Amino acid sequence: MGGLRKKIPVTYRTMLIATLAIAGFPPFAGFFSKDEILASAYSGPYANRILWAVGLAAAALTSFYMFRLIFLTFFGKPRYDEHKVHVHESPKSMLVPCAILAILSTVGGWFAAPKFWGGADYFKNFLDPVFASAASLSPASALSEDAVHTLELQLSAVAVLVALAGLLVAWWFYIRKPEAPKRLAQNLHGLYTLILNKYYVDEIYAALIVRPLLWISTNVLWQVVDERVIDGAVNGVADSARGWGGQLRKLQSGNERSYASWVIIGAVGFTVLLLALLGMGH
């Protein structure tokens, strides 16, 4: 909507804290969790530098799109009609939980902060009993404690710089040069279209999965199995019962002479059958 920073200041502040946390800026909680993940991917017992690079790129993109959200929503000129849209803060039932989450997002990671100046990681110590069996299976690090500590600080600095780069790029695009995204989309039309359409994953999924299933459901399961087999069997039994019933009900004519005739025919038929059976017995 744009320009909401002064309209809903409490929502803006809590959203800004959440963005700083998820982007991984210190001293917010997201910094410590992201730092631990990236450090383990880079130098842990089962380190994988490719995964570390992918995680770092994802951290940069996270910072970029979250600050893009902040800048487009709360900064710039309003992109709505103030005469038709009444912007106001949410009720306390929403603001109070947001404020609590904002406080936890700010101080929640401080239990791990002492490790950066050589102290204990209280959060890790708290979780050690849970991961004790997994830790015992991990090979020991070949680096000394001082080397590990130095590497952690270096990796943390890299992660913060990456988050800062995402923030600055978002600021440049949506505050400093708001016309830049449109110009970039025009210059990179093919790539822009590919990303805009989400790499055509939905279209590929529809072509390979959804449409074949719809065809099978319509032409096989519905028209053949349902209509011809199931409905055909049920309707066939009903039609046969209706046909036999229509023929048998003609016997109930209400004519006494007809009934008498059928009784005589039945008695004669039964007598003939009985004599035939007795003859066969002899």
Side-chain angles (χ1 to χ4, degrees):
M1 298 175 71
L4 297 182
R5 182 163 43 103
K6 296 181 179 179
K7 297 283 187 179
I8 46 176
V10 177
T11 301
Y12 164 67
R13 294 189 185 99
T14 55
M15 186 67 189
L16 179 60
I17 291 173
T19 299
L20 290 168
I22 197 173
F25 283 95
F28 298 94
F31 163 74
F32 297 96
S33 59
K34 185 183 73 172
D35 178 72
E36 191 71 25
I37 293 170
L38 292 176
S40 297
Y42 186 90
S43 62
Y46 304 103
N48 188 312
R49 301 294 171 82
I50 296 177
L51 291 181
W52 173 78
V54 171
L56 204 63
L61 289 174
T62 301
S63 178
F64 170 75
Y65 72 69
M66 287 304 299
F67 279 102
R68 175 184 181 274
L69 170 64
I70 289 290
F71 293 144
L72 287 177
T73 305
F74 297 101
F75 289 81
K77 296 180 180 180
R79 292 183 295 276
Y80 59 92
D81 188 347
E82 297 190 35
H83 298 289
K84 296 181 179 180
V85 178
H86 176 56
V87 179
H88 58 86
E89 288 283 13
S90 300
K92 290 183 178 180
S93 60
M94 294 180 66
L95 290 181
V96 171
C98 286
I100 294 173
L101 291 172
I103 294 171
L104 293 175
S105 296
T106 304
V107 304
W110 293 1
F111 295 100
K115 73 172 184 176
F116 285 98
W117 51 82
D121 186 343
Y122 295 104
F123 187 70
K124 179 179 180 300
N125 294 340
F126 175 74
L127 292 177
D128 269 346
V130 180
F131 298 107
S133 58
S136 64
L137 296 175
S138 302
S141 175
L143 299 176
S144 65
E145 291 187 7
D146 291 338
V148 170
H149 181 63
T150 301
L151 181 60
E152 285 182 348
L153 293 178
Q154 293 172 347
L155 293 175
S156 298
V158 171
V160 173
L161 290 175
V162 165
L164 182 61
L167 186 158
L168 292 176
V169 172
W171 173 81
W172 178 266
F173 277 155
Y174 301 103
I175 298 296
R176 184 71 177 84
K177 296 286 186 180
E179 72 281 358
K182 184 177 181 180
R183 189 166 61 248
L184 183 64
Q186 293 173 347
N187 295 334
L188 301 175
H189 180 71
L191 179 62
Y192 173 79
T193 304
L194 179 66
I195 297 175
L196 181 65
N197 290 280
K198 305 178 293 296
Y199 304 100
Y200 296 99
V201 171
D202 291 341
E203 287 77 5
I204 295 173
Y205 179 79
L208 297 180
I209 305 297
V210 176
R211 290 172 189 167
L213 285 177
L214 286 176
W215 187 90
I216 293 173
S217 299
T218 302
N219 297 281
V220 179
L221 297 179
W222 174 25
Q223 296 181 357
V224 176
V225 177
D226 189 13
E227 290 188 346
R228 297 181 185 179
V229 177
I230 298 177
D231 288 351
V234 173
N235 294 334
V237 172
D239 291 340
S240 298
R242 188 182 298 111
W244 281 102
Q247 296 298 322
L248 292 175
R249 67 186 178 87
K250 294 179 181 180
L251 298 176
Q252 302 293 331
S253 62
N255 190 316
E256 293 181 358
R257 287 180 298 178
S258 175
Y259 293 161
S261 300
W262 282 110
V263 169
I264 294 172
I265 292 173
V268 172
F270 179 76
T271 303
V272 172
L273 177 62
L274 182 61
L275 292 175
L277 293 174
L278 291 175
M280 291 174 62
H282 293 289

